[in-house]
Amino acid sequence: DGGITQSPKYLFRKEGQNVTLSCEQNLNHDAMYWYRQDPGQGLRLIYYSQIVNDFQKGDIAEGYSVSREKKESFPLTVTSAQKNPTAFYLCASRPTGEYGYTFGSGTRLTVV
Amino acid sequence: AQSVTQLDSQVPVFEEAPVELRCNYSSSVSVYLFWYVQYPNQGLQLLLKYLSGSTLVESINGFEAEFNKSQTSFHLRKPSVHISDTAEYFCAVSGSGGYQKVTFGTGTKLQVIP
């Protein structure tokens, strides 16, 4: 079945360490997105990519970086510059011409 | 700029009772509207969407939402809820015509009481 795979589901890191969250899709969708979810704040857009080798900052890109070398993959790196990285991270994709997202099951990052 | 307001952070309702989850939006352009559902520790799933045409849209599991342009609302309703409907529901808005940024509301937790 087609879908979005996020791994790992739970991730623990020490403060000051960079960490990379994986997002892989086999839906042949062009556009991919990273959102951060915090309790009571809804979803906030970190980065998005509408085509391979191109990506744009969202509303809260500071302290994060991404790459889009393959259509299927859109990894997110949470750097040590992100002041409050503990959150639930969601990856999503969307086919060109459609207006609803398909989401992955998320990665819960805890920084201690 | 656009925004979405979900005034109710939590809505408790007894099983088999009707429910309405409220969503109001603000936008200076024509909009597309969405409802997503999130079960604990999972991603969001698209429940239904309004793009154009009939202002009443329905999902396969009995939910419906009505686009009301004059009241800038897109409330989600179900005439009889089930325990399995317990989840968090997010309203979202984007501008219409080509890809536009999607803005999500802060979510409403629906708790169905047996």
Side-chain angles (χ1 to χ4, degrees), chain A residues 4 11 17 20 22 36 38 62 71 77 79 81 92 104 110:
Chain A
I4 298 180
L11 190 55
Q17 290 182 333
T20 297
S22 171
R36 170 180 172 142
D38 296 283
E62 185 175 350
K71 188 175 186 177
T77 297
T79 74
T110 302

Side-chain angles (χ1 to χ4, degrees), chain A residues 19-92:
Chain A
V19 61
T20 297
L21 281 59
S22 171
C23 176
E24 302 279 334
Q25 55 104 353
N26 61 2
L27 300 165
N28 199 33
H29 289 176
D30 289 308
M32 297 187 74
Y33 307 82
W34 274 105
Y35 284 90
R36 170 180 172 142
Q37 185 178 18
D38 296 283
Q41 296 193 44
L43 277 70
R44 292 181 290 169
L45 182 64
I46 305 173
Y47 268 98
Y48 66 99
S49 168
Q50 299 201 66
I51 196 168
V52 174
N53 293 322
D54 187 47
F55 49 82
Q56 285 80 40
K57 293 181 179 180
D59 299 319
I60 56 166
E62 185 175 350
Y64 300 96
S65 66
V66 294
S67 63
R68 186 88 187 275
E69 297 177 1
K70 299 186 301 181
K71 188 175 186 177
E72 303 79 15
S73 179
F74 192 41
L76 174 74
T77 297
V78 184
T79 74
S80 57
Q82 168 50 231
K83 296 189 186 326
N84 185 20
T86 294
F88 190 50
Y89 290 87
L90 287 161
C91 180

Side-chain angles (χ1 to χ4, degrees), chain B residues 70-88:
Chain B
S70 63
Q71 297 188 11
T72 60
S73 68
F74 191 55
H75 301 329
L76 182 69
R77 302 183 182 96
K78 189 171 186 180
S80 175
V81 296
H82 188 267
I83 291 289
S84 60
D85 294 323
T86 295
E88 190 160 16

Side-chain angles (χ1 to χ4, degrees), chain A residues 9-10 33 35 37 40-43 45 48 50 59 88 90 94 98-106 108, chain B residues 32 34 36 38 41-46 49 51 88 90 94-95 97-102 104-107:
Chain A
K9 191 167 182 65
Y10 299 95
Y33 307 82
Y35 284 90
Q37 185 178 18
Q41 296 193 44
L43 277 70
L45 182 64
Y48 66 99
Q50 299 201 66
D59 299 319
F88 190 50
L90 287 161
R94 180 184 63 85
E98 294 288 329
Y99 298 98
Y101 290 161
T102 299
F103 281 87
S105 57
R108 189 167 298 278
Chain B
Y32 293 154
F34 310 86
Y36 286 85
Q38 184 180 35
N41 291 313
Q42 294 187 27
L44 280 69
Q45 300 172 32
L46 181 64
K49 60 187 176 186
L51 303 181
E88 190 160 16
F90 291 89
S94 74
Y99 173 70
Q100 303 283 339
K101 177 188 168 185
V102 176
F104 286 85
T106 52

